[in-house]
Amino acid sequence: MDKLNYSDDLAANIPSQTATISSARFTVETVLSLRYWTPNLLSCRTSRDPNFRFTPGHYARLGLQSKKDNVIWRPFSVVSSKVDGYLEFIATLIPNGEFSDPLSNIREGDTIQVDKASYGFMTIDGFAPGKDLWLLATGTGLGPFLSILRDAITWNAFENIVLVHSVRYAVELAYRDEIQAIIQDHLLETLPARLRYIPVVTREFLPDMSPARIPQLIEDGRLEIAANLKFDLKRSRIMVCGNPEIIRELRGLFTARGFQTNRRAAPGQLAFENYWLNKP
Ligand SMILES: Cc1cc2nc3c(=O)[nH]c(=O)nc-3n(C[C@H](O)[C@H](O)[C@H](O)COP(=O)(O)OP(=O)(O)OC[C@H]3O[C@@H](n4cnc5c(N)ncnc54)[C@H](O)[C@@H]3O)c2cc1C
Ligand SMILES: NC(=O)c1ccc[n+]([C@@H]2O[C@H](COP(=O)([O-])OP(=O)(O)OC[C@H]3O[C@@H](n4cnc5c(N)ncnc54)[C@H](OP(=O)(O)O)[C@@H]3O)[C@@H](O)[C@H]2O)c1
């Protein structure tokens, strides 16, 4: 991600002649760059059609040609900001995954199909007004939170923002430098909110970091201590994104404390994005 850009001038950020082909449902975009965090975790930046609009927290549907000559479509959260002239995604490569297979062979200059619409409900406008925004991510669930963090609306809506990212191994803590840069960015000095970044590594012992999972850190109070902030029904607005099992656990944990999931007709304090279905 490039430097924070709070300008609303999307048109000025998109180079001309980006999308090569446009059908009724999708545009064909070009892969501009790839960044491998590990052999199974990559970020992919593509061109962006000037008409592709999204709210931070939304996902796009991406299509890649499979070996069987059909196009495989999968949802991917947008990592880049709503005003960047490109789209960025972060993806885990799943062994033998139908979409992961063609994705693992992708190169700069290749094409990728992008559905013209963006989707999702995990956006800050779904919440009842609050003071503290908690962004709890596992793995690639970090992605939409980066887009949310790169939107000035977020910084004006909250006093405190806490970003918690749980990964198996420290090398999977993607975008660490960018997150530190957001914290240090002088632009934010003029905005009201403060960001705390709490990385969680579960399968490796690191100094000053316990290998506990997020629900355990919440239950025993360690997350609140690390964030120097309490979970509070009036103040806290909580987003959880990634592994469906943590979503199930945290939905139970927070609803037992009186928090309610956002509904279209009734804004609440919780929003979730499940990245796959639990196996029965
Ligand atoms: C709303 C939404 C947004 C999503 N955004 C992203 C995103 O930003 N980045 C991303 O990598 N994936 C994201 N996914 C998952 C993505 O759509 C694909 O499922 C994933 O790329 C694997 O596709 P596949 O066809 O290779 O395997 P699938 O057949 O789709 O999945 C096989 C199995 O892989 C595991 N799996 C799938 N996705 C992940 C993941 N992200 N992390 C860890 N394990 C996983 C699950 O056990 C799943 O059952 C999102 C899914 C949804 C529903
Ligand atoms: N070498 C490989 O082939 C390879 C390597 C990496 C990933 N993968 C694939 O990628 C997938 C895993 O990707 P991932 O590591 O990004 O996602 P993940 O399994 O969801 O793990 C990401 C983080 O979420 C935590 N977590 C998982 N379930 C949780 C729960 N119920 N409550 C709280 N925290 C929870 C994990 O902790 P824990 O560590 O405690 O589970 C980890 O810190 C696998 O399905 C695998 O297919 C493959």
Side-chain angles (χ1 to χ4, degrees), residues 153-224:
I153 291 174
T154 309
W155 295 86
N156 284 310
F158 295 95
E159 290 173 10
N160 297 290
I161 306 173
V162 184
L163 173 65
V164 186
H165 186 203
S166 178
V167 294
R168 295 177 180 190
Y169 303 102
V171 286
E172 294 162 343
L173 288 171
Y175 295 106
R176 268 189 109 160
D177 292 348
E178 284 85 346
I179 296 164
Q180 293 300 347
I182 290 175
I183 292 171
Q184 280 152 20
D185 197 297
H186 70 279
L187 272 176
L188 299 184
E189 286 169 14
T190 59
L191 293 169
R194 287 286 164 267
L195 172 65
R196 293 171 187 86
Y197 168 55
I198 303 176
V200 174
V201 176
T202 46
R203 300 195 188 186
E204 215 178 323
F205 283 92
L206 297 178
D208 305 325
M209 220 187 268
S210 125
R213 286 175 158 189
I214 293 174
Q216 193 185 336
L217 295 173
I218 295 173
E219 267 169 330
D220 63 21
R222 274 184 288 170
L223 196 63
E224 289 176 319

Side-chain angles (χ1 to χ4, degrees), residues 26-31 34 42 44 46 61-76 91 93 97-107 110-115:
F26 60 84
T27 59
V28 179
E29 303 299 341
T30 303
V31 175
L34 297 166
L42 73 148
C44 174
T46 74
R61 291 184 70 251
L62 305 183
L64 281 178
Q65 198 75 38
S66 81
K67 281 189 193 129
K68 292 180 197 147
D69 221 25
N70 58 328
V71 176
I72 312 293
W73 289 93
R74 287 289 183 275
F76 281 85
L93 297 175
E98 217 182 347
F99 187 91
S100 300
D101 186 36
L103 184 62
S104 64
N105 292 316
I106 206 159
R107 300 286 177 268
D110 287 354
T111 56
I112 186 162
Q113 298 182 12
V114 180
D115 189 322

Side-chain angles (χ1 to χ4, degrees), residues 257-279:
R257 295 185 186 190
F259 289 84
Q260 289 183 335
T261 305
N262 284 343
R263 303 267 173 253
R264 224 189 273 261
Q269 303 84 20
L270 301 172
F272 301 99
E273 191 77 89
N274 249 325
Y275 271 7
W276 63 93
L277 293 176
N278 271 323
K279 296 220 167 68

Side-chain angles (χ1 to χ4, degrees), residues 29-57:
E29 303 299 341
T30 303
V31 175
L32 302 176
S33 62
L34 297 166
R35 180 176 180 184
Y36 280 85
W37 306 95
T38 75
N40 293 304
L41 182 67
L42 73 148
S43 289
C44 174
R45 191 177 282 191
T46 74
S47 55
R48 173 177 179 178
D49 186 273
N51 295 316
F52 182 84
R53 302 285 163 148
F54 66 96
T55 303

